[in-house]
Amino acid sequence: MAKIFRKIRQNMIKDKKVINYLLYAIGEIILVVIGILIALSINNSNELRKTQEAEKVYLKEIKSDLIQDTLLLSQVIQDHKWRIAQLMSQDSTIDFIFEEIIGELPKVAGVSELEYIFFTDRKFRPKIGTYNSMISEGKSNIISNRELFNTIQNIYELEAQNIINIGEDVLDRSNELRNKYAYEIKYGDFGSPITITDKRILADIYISSRQLNYYTRQSVLLKKSITELIELIDIEYQSLEKNNQS
């Protein structure tokens, strides 16, 4: 009987050693897993921080481009409001359409030469380098706020492109009319400031005024959209700053 108890005791001790070894092994495995998870967490955190820093750089540069766009748009709007006023000075029956959007026109005394009626070289071309670089390098996903990215994309690829196309039409028409009335521009005597009575010229002035009204209206609306986008970029940038500091 004593031998049996001794054997049982030896087996229990042996089993306890096995259990202790298994518990130790499991503990080691758990520690290794925890270490790996911590390392992955730190690595992911570092990668996220790097991505957010790159995102901030893109947002900052896009904002800078957009600010330059608003300055150019302001010049385009002012120049074309002046031209609309000049055209209207030749024909009092021309309506000033979209006044509620464009705003008050400047006061003009008239135009000294016929060529000035048809001359325009101010058109809007957006600063699109940063956006194009981001797209061509396949980094559009770097902007984590997809709603913000969609707004940026819409500004550059739809609204700004629309203004570019209208601006090309305005410039083409300006060149067309200067060629059409080359003789009148060189040899015509319209006084100073000029007074136009030729119905052909007045008809073209009427069409040009409506085209310029529309172009100026769209420029004002684009400037408003860009200004709102700049505010959204500021909000997103500040949010990323807070995340990096936490």
Side-chain angles (χ1 to χ4, degrees):
M1 183 65 71
K3 288 182 178 180
I4 294 174
F5 279 121
R6 277 198 302 271
K7 189 160 183 79
I8 291 173
R9 185 180 177 189
Q10 287 173 353
N11 288 337
M12 289 178 65
I13 292 172
K14 190 174 183 180
D15 290 342
K16 187 175 181 181
K17 287 181 178 179
V18 171
I19 292 171
N20 287 340
Y21 175 77
L22 289 174
L23 290 175
Y24 176 79
I26 292 171
E28 286 292 313
I29 292 171
I30 291 173
L31 287 175
V32 170
V33 170
I34 291 173
I36 292 172
L37 291 175
I38 291 173
L40 287 174
S41 176
I42 292 173
N43 183 63
N44 289 339
S45 179
N46 289 336
E47 288 299 318
L48 178 60
R49 192 177 298 276
K50 289 179 182 178
T51 300
Q52 289 180 339
E53 285 298 325
E55 181 179 1
K56 284 164 57 181
V57 170
Y58 272 110
L59 289 177
K60 187 176 181 180
E61 291 181 356
I62 288 174
K63 176 186 172 182
S64 177
D65 288 348
L66 291 172
I67 290 174
Q68 293 299 312
D69 288 341
T70 62
L71 296 176
L72 178 55
L73 279 168
S74 293
Q75 294 175 346
V76 169
I77 292 165
Q78 188 59 37
D79 285 359
H80 286 92
K81 286 174 68 173
W82 187 267
R83 288 205 63 233
I84 293 170
Q86 288 178 329
L87 296 178
M88 292 179 67
S89 73
Q90 297 302 315
D91 187 350
S92 59
T93 64
I94 293 177
D95 295 327
F96 178 31
I97 53 178
F98 309 125
E99 181 178 6
E100 71 283 0
I101 295 174
I102 296 173
E104 187 178 355
L105 294 177
K107 305 295 182 183
V108 298
V111 186
S112 60
E113 295 182 29
L114 180 61
E115 186 175 14
Y116 293 157
I117 286 288
F118 304 121
F119 181 76
T120 181
D121 63 352
R122 178 80 71 182
K123 59 183 180 179
F124 175 67
R125 284 285 182 185
K127 288 178 66 63
I128 201 168
T130 303
Y131 176 77
N132 280 347
S133 174
M134 181 176 67
I135 297 300
S136 64
E137 293 174 9
K139 294 183 178 179
S140 61
N141 287 332
I142 202 168
I143 297 182
S144 54
N145 186 332
R146 300 316 293 169
E147 185 176 350
L148 176 61
F149 172 76
N150 290 337
T151 303
I152 294 172
Q153 187 178 46
N154 182 69
I155 289 289
Y156 281 118
E157 298 189 12
L158 294 178
E159 295 189 42
Q161 189 59 50
N162 180 50
I163 292 293
I164 291 171
N165 294 338
I166 299 172
E168 293 294 341
D169 291 342
V170 169
L171 184 60
D172 288 345
R173 179 168 175 78
S174 173
N175 292 331
E176 175 189 332
L177 292 178
R178 279 188 290 168
N179 291 329
K180 180 179 180 179
Y181 296 110
Y183 181 87
E184 286 82 358
I185 289 171
K186 184 170 179 61
Y187 298 109
D189 183 8
F190 301 95
S192 184
I194 64 173
T195 301
I196 300 171
T197 56
D198 188 320
K199 289 185 178 180
R200 296 172 307 134
I201 300 177
L202 290 174
D204 278 322
I205 286 176
Y206 172 77
I207 298 300
S208 292
S209 72
R210 298 187 74 82
Q211 186 185 44
L212 279 171
N213 266 272
Y214 182 66
Y215 184 33
T216 308
R217 171 189 184 271
Q218 295 305 108
S219 298
V220 171
L221 293 177
L222 176 59
K223 182 182 175 183
K224 182 175 182 293
S225 295
I226 290 176
T227 302
E228 292 172 351
L229 175 56
I230 289 172
E231 293 174 358
L232 293 175
I233 288 175
D234 281 337
I235 292 171
E236 185 66 16
Y237 190 92
Q238 291 167 9
S239 175
L240 291 170
E241 285 272 77
K242 289 180 180 177
N243 289 341
N244 288 344
Q245 293 171 1
S246 60

